[in-house]
Amino acid sequence: MAAEGGSVDLKTGSAVEEVGTAAVSPTVSPAAERTFHQTGGIRNYACPSGRLCVDVWDPTANTYKVFQFYRCQTHALRGFYSTYTPEYENNQTTGTATYFERSAGDRYLRSTAKHAERGINWDPINYIDVC
């Protein structure tokens, strides 16, 4: 008989160990100017002037992980999943454009500064081109 929550191989009758996907903390490469965990994400954080701030749920910490960008460069995203709450704020210099991309150069969404918190679907986005 399988352990509680487990399963049984129907051919042998033996218990089968369930193998799940381990939780992974979201990351960006190269690193953001600042990264930290914040209850409520950017909703509870004043994104500094001249910065792009994004948040994403971090299942390893059971809270939001905030990435603050300043330098103009393209960042690869790993482990970003949508929560459909405010997930980015573009507080860069007025008129500065940031692009959210599916693959490098394949622009999905353009954000022109300045504007308040906005939601985004991270699922098709693999890069952020800041500036």
Side-chain angles (χ1 to χ4, degrees), residues 12-99:
T12 65
S14 302
V16 176
E17 183 178 336
E18 299 283 333
V19 178
T21 304
V24 176
S25 182
T27 60
V28 299
S29 179
E33 173 191 32
R34 183 170 180 227
T35 303
F36 56 95
H37 288 93
Q38 176 75 32
T39 301
I42 62 172
R43 289 174 295 171
N44 293 337
Y45 177 67
C47 186
S49 181
R51 302 322 193 252
L52 171 73
C53 298
V54 304
D55 71 25
V56 63
W57 184 255
D58 184 348
T60 66
N62 205 30
T63 190
Y64 287 91
K65 192 170 188 178
V66 175
F67 298 88
Q68 179 180 299
F69 301 97
Y70 178 71
R71 180 173 289 146
C72 292
Q73 63 188 157
T74 300
H75 300 268
L77 311 181
R78 299 289 180 260
F80 273 58
Y81 300 97
S82 292
T83 58
Y84 302 103
T85 60
E87 294 180 306
Y88 76 96
E89 179 178 352
N90 192 342
N91 202 21
Q92 297 172 287
T93 305
T94 300
T96 302
T98 287
Y99 296 94

Side-chain angles (χ1 to χ4, degrees), residues 110-130:
R110 175 184 171 153
S111 169
T112 304
K114 291 190 172 193
H115 62 73
E117 304 150 358
R118 296 198 178 169
I120 191 168
N121 181 1
W122 289 122
D123 297 335
I125 298 169
N126 296 307
Y127 297 89
I128 298 175
D129 183 3
V130 180

